[in-house]
Amino acid sequence: MFSILENCMLVPNVHMMTVYAPDVAKSALPGQFAIFRPEEEGERIPLTLADWNAEEGTITVVYLNVGRSTAKLASLKAEQSLPTVVGPLGNPLEIERFGAVLCVGGCYGIGSIYPIARALKEAGNTVISVLEARSSFLLYWQEKLNAVSDRLVYLTRDGTRGKRGHIGSLAEIIRTLPMRIERVILNGCNYLMMRGSQETLPLKIKTIVTLNTLMIDGTGMCGVCRVTVNSQTKFACVDGPHFDGHQVDWAEVTQRRKAYLQEEIIPLRTTRPQ
Ligand code: FES
């Protein structure tokens, strides 16, 4: 069993959980994920590691309360425990000295982009972090990201913080920067990663996305996380989760992500007050 040290809502619907999982913490690398299961018979939820502390043996994830299983996860309190935390899984993100790198995070991706920005900064890159949200009250971890970034850019749909716009404004933001961006890393929902990749394609900037497909085993055996990248079949858990955003078959990713949407939503309709 894995003890929960903290489980709180950061901003509406976006939660943060810190768990004692020393074996995961001691070998975690930026861009890897862990599979969480909130109850013995429950769904296995892959969540990108948003932070970890090898000395204290803790890992932290940021997740969206979006369906039955994540609602169950969000309902757990500190000092309760989880039956399953498996990780670290997936390949770490390639971290090198690229030059200037744009790290874009939206929703739960603001959390998962943090260790990536930190590692890129430590590797000597100029890091520009872009935080995207519908409104300023949905932003979080600004101080943490500011500490590992050379510049922080806010992008809100209602214009309450930073530039007014959405991920479709990414090319415009890049054009206004005083340096050549060598690489873009996109973390967040599929739409953010797909739309962001469309923005960087005409600019010819290498763009890496972290796919958040459905998963069961997370070790390449079940095939649930199948994606098509550059016309080749890949498994997000063992071949990824990081792929070239310009080569991902986004229509397929979107379609497969929705496979159990009704099963996720129907129990919430019957258990939550209308
Ligand atoms: Fe089963 Fe990837 S989760 S193959």
Side-chain angles (χ1 to χ4, degrees):
M1 300 295 271
F2 298 85
S3 300
I4 299 169
L5 304 175
E6 188 177 6
N7 193 23
C8 63
M9 191 163 73
L10 294 171
V11 294
N13 242 20
V14 177
H15 298 249
M16 180 192 81
M17 179 181 277
T18 298
V19 178
Y20 183 67
D23 287 344
V24 184
K26 78 178 177 207
S27 47
L29 290 168
Q32 290 189 296
F33 65 92
I35 287 184
F36 281 54
R37 200 162 51 155
E39 50 197 337
E40 281 288 352
E41 303 297 323
E43 183 188 2
R44 297 159 65 89
I45 310 168
L47 297 169
T48 305
L49 298 174
D51 208 354
W52 54 90
N53 186 321
E55 280 178 18
E56 295 179 6
T58 61
I59 59 170
T60 297
V61 290
V62 174
Y63 61 97
L64 188 66
N65 181 355
V66 74
R68 185 190 179 281
S69 301
T70 44
K72 176 67 186 174
L73 202 61
S75 74
L76 298 173
K77 306 271 182 281
E79 296 181 10
Q80 287 187 277
S81 48
L82 298 166
T84 307
V85 176
V86 182
L89 297 167
N91 297 298
L93 185 75
E94 180 189 16
I95 303 287
E96 284 180 19
R97 189 168 184 165
F98 300 111
V101 183
L102 203 70
C103 293
V104 184
C107 191
Y108 50 84
I110 294 176
S112 59
I113 203 77
Y114 168 68
I116 291 170
R118 180 176 61 190
L120 287 164
K121 182 73 184 150
E122 284 170 2
N125 294 284
T126 299
V127 174
I128 294 121
S129 295
V130 179
L131 308 191
E132 193 262 6
R134 272 182 288 124
S135 186
S136 57
F137 74 90
L138 295 171
L139 295 165
Y140 59 94
W141 281 19
Q142 295 99 315
E143 283 184 17
K144 279 169 79 96
L145 274 150
N146 194 34
V148 297
S149 307
D150 294 272
R151 185 186 290 202
L152 208 50
V153 178
Y154 296 102
L155 184 59
T156 53
R157 291 195 197 180
D158 61 3
T160 46
R161 183 99 196 241
K163 180 175 170 53
R164 185 189 200 105
H166 53 78
I167 192 64
S169 313
L170 192 61
E172 196 184 324
I173 289 173
I174 292 172
R175 283 196 199 95
T176 62
L177 293 170
M179 73 287 278
R180 158 83 193 166
I181 298 297
E182 302 297 340
R183 186 166 286 228
V184 173
I185 317 285
L186 296 164
N187 267 215
C189 66
N190 284 333
Y191 177 78
L192 178 139
M193 295 189 289
M194 176 188 72
R195 190 71 185 84
S197 299
Q198 289 169 352
E199 287 286 297
T200 59
L201 183 62
L203 302 177
K204 297 186 171 54
I205 303 174
K206 177 99 170 169
T207 298
I208 305 296
V209 297
T210 303
L211 291 185
N212 42 36
T213 60
L214 299 177
M215 291 188 187
I216 295 179
D217 61 290
T219 56
M221 291 189 284
C222 70
V224 166
C225 66
R226 177 171 61 80
V227 292
T228 304
V229 181
N230 200 19
S231 305
Q232 294 181 333
T233 296
K234 300 282 181 187
F235 291 150
C237 64
V238 288
D239 299 319
H242 314 289
F243 295 101
D244 186 329
H246 299 154
Q247 297 182 344
V248 171
D249 180 340
W250 289 106
E252 181 190 59
V253 167
T254 306
Q255 186 65 27
R256 288 179 66 82
R257 194 77 182 83
K258 289 180 186 164
Y260 298 102
L261 204 55
Q262 288 307 311
E263 285 80 357
E264 280 288 312
I265 291 170
I266 288 167
L268 292 180
R269 283 204 190 119
T270 54
T271 55
R272 277 184 175 170
Q274 299 297 307

